[in-house]
Amino acid sequence: SVVGVQENSQSNALYGKEAGKGQGKHGSIHYKVKLETDEQKIERRKREEEQQAKYKADIARARDIQEVITISEVSCADLKDLEVVSVSDPFILFRLQKADGTKQELQSTTKDDQLNPVFAGEAFELLSDRADVRPGEHEARLQIEVWDENTVSDSLMGQISLDLSEVEKWDFPCDKTLGLRDGQGEIQNGKYGTITFTMNKEDAKEKAAEAQKFKESLVALRAQQEFLQVTVDRCDNLKDLEMTSVSDPYVKLFLVRTDTSTVEFKTTVKDDNINPEFGESFEFETNAAERTVGEMEATLKIEVWDDNNVSDDFMGHAFVPLSKLGATGTRSLTLLDKKDRDDGLGTVTISFMLASAEEKAAKLKEKEARDLARKERLETLRTQVEY
């Protein structure tokens, strides 16, 4: 019935084991029959091979266009607590799973005893290419998992899975808040909480060129010597750690550099006082690169301790990246516990003033001139009295 027909669509009913019986009970099958000559078959295969070669070349070109996916400003809210006698210690795992089986994995720090963790200052960069965003056999997938860190084995707290073809539709840079799902991919009415992040996508070559240019600028900035004067003004509402008396607080200041080196100063001790006033100033030698966001940025770390005869007790700490400190001003900082939580430990107030090496030299010269003038006046007065 198909002789002489180039292409014909067919539909036939399926029967049971006995031919002709039970027609329609077993459904139907649909298929297409196409007749072609040997010459047509050769031509078809040639076209298919050309199309396949073109597709492979297209994928190869797409593989050469690499992009960097940057995930930052990450936080979670209302995570499900998996612990019985304590609180979960979440960390986040970012995994870019490629179609060829290769993968990239990045892990955040762990936030102890927190169900609403904030991963401040952490950024995660994953390398992808334009083939990864094409739906189909070459598409990659971004997996974001929240885990509870344990001594023996970690426990999954929630996850999301994103096809890069869907991510490609977002407007970059973008802020996203997504509901976490369980291990089977179910949301279950927010039972597992949410994750919030900022995502950006940039051309890898352009980003590398910008990074190199920025690195070169940091080298020039590092040569610009500066002096940071920090005055510890006071502490307020410190938590009293003593049972029969009152805490004796003092403050430590650290300039923490990216190479892990530190410069440290310490105030005097204020006995029996949870609202101490210090008014003590300290000077750090720094440079312009250390107050620029990037790989050389330094951080001012402030710790408050309770002075004791045997060993001192930690009362709280605060951190300020130099890029956020400014040139001059006053800041009141909330003291955090050792797990960086606000637990009502009080505040510390500091004043600060930044000066370049040239400004410091000019001020020093002015001071020397004032001191010399004062000395000359005193010498003149002394001579007049003797006369």
Side-chain angles (χ1 to χ4, degrees), residues 66-74 94 96 122-128 130 133 142 144 162 164 167-168 170-176 197-204 206-207 210:
Q66 295 188 320
E67 299 173 320
V68 178
I69 299 172
T70 303
I71 304 172
S72 59
E73 305 296 329
V74 183
F94 299 91
L96 184 64
E122 298 185 48
F124 310 90
E125 293 186 352
L126 299 164
L127 186 64
S128 68
R130 295 304 300 167
V133 303
L142 175 62
I144 304 176
L162 302 168
L164 286 200
V167 174
E168 179 69 11
W170 297 352
D171 294 325
F172 299 105
C174 59
D175 298 323
K176 293 290 181 179
F197 56 85
T198 296
M199 182 181 288
N200 195 20
K201 183 188 282 190
E202 302 168 273
D203 181 271
E206 292 178 359
K207 185 176 177 66
E210 290 175 1

Side-chain angles (χ1 to χ4, degrees), residues 92-357:
I92 301 179
L93 185 66
F94 299 91
R95 182 187 303 111
L96 184 64
Q97 184 74 50
K98 296 212 171 192
D100 62 1
T102 60
K103 61 184 178 180
Q104 302 169 53
E105 287 188 350
L106 298 173
Q107 183 175 321
S108 73
T109 57
T110 300
K111 301 298 181 181
D112 295 336
D113 304 329
Q114 296 190 42
L115 300 179
N116 297 281
V118 177
F119 300 88
E122 298 185 48
F124 310 90
E125 293 186 352
L126 299 164
L127 186 64
S128 68
D129 57 59
R130 295 304 300 167
D132 292 333
V133 303
R134 296 192 175 194
E137 60 180 323
H138 296 287
E139 184 174 14
R141 174 170 291 188
L142 175 62
Q143 188 83 8
I144 304 176
E145 299 172 349
V146 183
W147 289 83
D148 179 14
E149 185 177 69
N150 297 307
T151 304
V152 179
S153 63
D154 302 330
S155 303
L156 182 65
M157 301 180 71
Q159 63 174 345
I160 55 173
S161 184
L162 302 168
D163 293 333
L164 286 200
S165 62
E166 292 300 315
V167 174
E168 179 69 11
K169 298 175 184 178
W170 297 352
D171 294 325
F172 299 105
C174 59
D175 298 323
K176 293 290 181 179
T177 297
L178 304 174
L180 292 169
R181 301 171 181 265
D182 63 10
Q184 285 70 48
E186 300 295 330
I187 292 183
Q188 296 189 8
N189 298 323
K191 181 179 179 181
Y192 297 94
T194 61
I195 182 168
T196 298
F197 56 85
T198 296
M199 182 181 288
N200 195 20
K201 183 188 282 190
E202 302 168 273
D203 181 271
K205 291 181 179 179
E206 292 178 359
K207 185 176 177 66
E210 290 175 1
Q212 180 60 32
K213 185 177 179 181
F214 178 69
K215 189 172 183 178
E216 292 171 357
S217 70
L218 285 181
V219 173
L221 290 173
R222 193 172 188 178
Q224 298 178 22
Q225 188 182 33
E226 297 177 338
F227 295 88
L228 176 64
Q229 179 179 290
V230 179
T231 300
V232 181
D233 296 320
R234 65 182 186 278
C235 294
D236 294 293
N237 303 314
L238 296 178
K239 185 175 181 180
D240 192 2
L241 304 184
E242 301 296 331
M243 298 291 293
T244 59
S245 60
V246 180
S247 291
D248 310 315
Y250 64 90
V251 178
K252 287 183 177 181
L253 294 177
F254 303 86
L255 184 64
V256 183
R257 295 187 164 93
T258 52
D259 62 0
T260 70
S261 65
T262 60
V263 180
E264 177 183 347
F265 292 105
K266 175 183 172 182
T267 69
T268 57
V269 176
K270 301 298 180 181
D271 294 335
D272 303 327
N273 196 339
I274 57 173
N275 294 284
E277 294 190 6
F278 295 95
E280 300 179 38
S281 299
F282 308 93
E283 186 175 79
F284 296 96
E285 184 176 339
T286 180
N287 58 67
E290 292 185 334
R291 59 180 180 86
T292 302
V293 176
E295 59 188 73
M296 295 186 185
E297 182 180 15
T299 299
L300 180 66
K301 180 180 179 182
I302 306 165
E303 294 181 349
V304 182
W305 290 81
D306 181 13
D307 184 59
N308 294 310
N309 292 329
V310 179
S311 63
D312 299 340
D313 295 322
F314 177 80
M315 301 184 74
H317 64 190
F319 305 87
V320 185
L322 292 198
S323 63
K324 296 183 179 180
L325 198 59
T328 183
T330 300
R331 294 279 293 272
S332 182
L333 305 171
T334 299
L335 293 171
L336 306 176
D337 64 13
K338 289 184 177 180
K339 295 180 179 180
D340 295 336
R341 299 172 302 186
D342 183 359
D343 196 26
L345 301 182
T347 62
V348 58
T349 300
I350 61 171
S351 300
F352 49 90
M353 182 172 60
L354 187 70
S356 65

